[in-house]
Amino acid sequence: MANLPPKNSTASFWHSEPSEVLLGHRTSLELPPEADVAIIGSGITGASVARYLSEDARAKNASNGGHCQPLLFDSAPEVAAFEVHNYDAVESYIREHNVPCEWRSGKACRSFWTQYLFKAAAHEVEILKDTAPDLGDKIAVVRGEDELRKYKVNGAPGATITTGAASLWPYKLIAFMLEQAIKDGRLNLQTNTPVTNLEACSAANDGATYFLSTPRGNIRARHVVLATNAYTSHLLPEFADLIVPERGFMSALLPPKNSRRLAYSYGFVGANNGNPLHDDYLNQRPFSGVPNPSAHLMFGGGHVARTTRSIGETDDSVLDEGSATYLRRELLHLLTLDGETQGVEELQATHQWSGIWGVSKDRHPWVGGVPGRKGVWVAGGYSGHGMPNGTLCGKAVVEMLLGEESGAPAEYVIDRLVATLGLPRAYLITEERIERCSRLDSVMVQEEKSNKGYRSAEDLVKERKEMAH
């Protein structure tokens, strides 16, 4: 069962420009005694749930790495199509509302650092081009030293170039959505108020079905949405084996002097003989036009060099020195960076921090109502891939919740979400899926097998596609 996050988390760059509205915000001095919908969690999913509820006339009131890249050949085509749809929805909202979050659309270069990994990736791209050409047309395979040099890749056997990737300041997008919902009077936000227990009411004469316990008192709610990702099992112990916390690491690095902004965002699969389940990833902030125009290289990963345990960890006050050193140094070897790099052994970090994500046992998010807990909803378990999933997973939960309130049959609502939103059925929370996952290796064993080379990227792609069906 996951623990609550500590109060002394490592300092994230994304929080270096906090929202004046949200910092310490409490819409009401005291906790409201009840709510129609209580949202636990205020990341991209929780903020999206609040946004879609506040925008929907059927709803009443709700309480409450900077890289958005769909992965097009790592799973079944319907999953890839949903991630593209999610990307489009996020971009549309940002452009419609002119959200100041440094959104930059472009292309992503994903390099593969062993011949086997590259061969498997190129093969999957060929299959995708045959079976789902609308998705396949978004990807090009690059091989050969001269071609790879055009993308600044230094030494990998090959890469893929994907159209439809973006970098952004995720906290600023989340803050904008929450501020808007508060301004519209549709959200009562209570920061620094952890929920410590979730209990069904013994009597629900007033319509409330759940008690939420907090250090500041209790709230009763008809519906509870858990947008808590890695921390889901803190309140739902039955998810302890289904969404497992994992600690990862991120850095904000100053670029070499006299360099130019990178034209692409990047992923590095299997670099330094690393685990193919753990990509390193990179995007770059602007040199101008923003409050802090330092063009930070936002480089995350370093799993291959970690010196501390990661699976099952919820303590983000710990900074792994092995991963931190790797992130400062390795980018100079993975890419041929512009600017003054001669004699430079490592880049200067303005921030290095840890973060916790939730790893799904079958590598698909969990979206929907919780069996045996009517009125409790979950959207989480993104396995480090939340930006291309969290927004529309939040919308899907809102549609399910409001559908239940209106008396619509659950299967009708789900069929409509599959047809109109593109929600993959592999994401749905069902008793059958939970039973199927009970036969899979635990997340820890999957990790150990991958580290020992028993589980390849090709095996993972195959398993994901099988689980999607």
Side-chain angles (χ1 to χ4, degrees), residues 17 100-103 172 261 285-295:
E17 297 179 19
C101 64
E102 301 184 7
W103 176 271
K172 292 188 176 183
R261 191 179 185 186
R285 294 189 56 248
F287 271 104
S288 61
V290 294
N292 180 8
S294 299

Side-chain angles (χ1 to χ4, degrees), residues 262-307:
L262 295 170
Y264 304 92
S265 59
Y266 288 86
F268 308 92
V269 184
N272 295 292
N273 294 314
N275 186 328
L277 296 179
H278 294 275
D279 301 9
D280 296 331
Y281 50 94
L282 169 72
N283 61 77
Q284 188 172 18
R285 294 189 56 248
F287 271 104
S288 61
V290 294
N292 180 8
S294 299
H296 295 87
L297 295 160
M298 309 303 294
F299 187 35
H303 185 84
V304 68
R306 76 193 191 286
T307 58

Side-chain angles (χ1 to χ4, degrees), residues 8-16 247-254 280-281 296-303 305-306 315-331 345-356:
N8 59 333
S9 301
T10 48
S12 166
F13 173 86
W14 303 127
H15 294 159
S16 62
R247 184 168 55 212
F249 300 94
M250 188 70 189
S251 65
L253 308 172
L254 294 179
D280 296 331
Y281 50 94
H296 295 87
L297 295 160
M298 309 303 294
F299 187 35
H303 185 84
R306 76 193 191 286
D315 185 353
D316 59 4
S317 69
V318 174
L319 183 64
D320 186 289
E321 289 303 326
S323 294
T325 300
Y326 175 97
L327 293 174
R328 294 193 304 271
R329 294 180 176 177
E330 194 57 30
L331 203 52
E345 295 185 0
E346 67 177 38
L347 299 174
Q348 180 184 346
T350 64
H351 295 73
Q352 291 194 277
W353 68 99
S354 62
I356 311 299

